[in-house]
Amino acid sequence: MTIPLAYKEDLYRFIWRKLDDNRCKLLRIGGIQNHIHILIDLHPTVALSSLLQVIKGSSSIWMKSDPRFAHFEGWAGDYFACTLSPDARSPLIEYIKNQEQHHLGQPIENEISTMYKCADLLYDERDLQ
């Protein structure tokens, strides 16, 4: 387990502080042992790539120094991000809330397809390439 479920709330609070420090509003965060989803209102003066560099970099340093995350080796080099309309927020928030249920025996492609549907986007398998 890279992110032990017993300590995920500590990680989420850490990320929330980084978002707040960067004037971004956290709408929902959730995940499972090997990845997380974050829904935010990105402040107009903040570049997404810079924000993710701060979040991934600082949380990586913190987790690697904390024995509770002994199996954490680092975040993936890439990430998925998209914009969505206000109408698409509620379904995505519900999806993020129920991460553990969504992952019961589901391949990653199913998860990505579901996220696209929640965001009212068209899924194309080439998006994973």
Side-chain angles (χ1 to χ4, degrees):
M1 272 190 279
T2 303
I3 304 170
L5 295 178
Y7 306 118
K8 69 180 182 178
E9 297 298 327
D10 294 336
L11 173 62
Y12 298 167
R13 279 192 287 280
F14 182 92
I15 292 170
W16 187 8
R17 282 194 304 275
K18 296 300 174 186
L19 290 166
D20 192 52
D21 290 347
N22 285 274
R23 300 178 314 275
C24 297
K25 182 180 176 186
L26 178 65
L27 301 175
R28 190 70 195 184
I29 189 170
I32 60 169
Q33 291 91 342
N34 66 358
H35 71 274
I36 61 173
H37 295 279
I38 306 170
L39 179 62
I40 63 169
D41 268 336
L42 184 67
H43 192 274
T45 63
V46 176
L48 179 63
S49 60
S50 298
L51 177 65
L52 288 176
Q53 183 177 15
V54 166
I55 290 171
K56 290 171 81 170
S58 60
S59 63
S60 184
I61 292 168
W62 173 68
M63 291 170 74
K64 286 179 180 180
S65 69
D66 189 322
R68 298 176 301 166
F69 300 96
H71 298 288
F72 180 78
E73 295 179 6
W75 296 110
D78 52 1
Y79 58 87
F80 170 83
C82 68
T83 60
L84 28 123
S85 71
D87 292 344
R89 284 184 180 176
S90 291
L92 193 53
I93 287 170
E94 288 305 311
Y95 178 83
I96 294 171
K97 279 183 189 179
N98 298 307
Q99 275 297 286
E100 293 176 41
Q101 294 168 339
H102 294 298
H103 286 280
L104 296 174
Q106 296 290 327
I108 189 70
E109 292 81 8
N110 288 6
E111 176 183 12
I112 293 171
S113 175
T114 301
M115 285 190 311
Y116 270 66
K117 287 177 190 170
C118 287
D120 202 24
L121 299 171
L122 294 175
Y123 174 68
D124 186 328
E125 291 179 7
R126 293 175 292 182
D127 292 340
L128 294 178
Q129 300 172 355

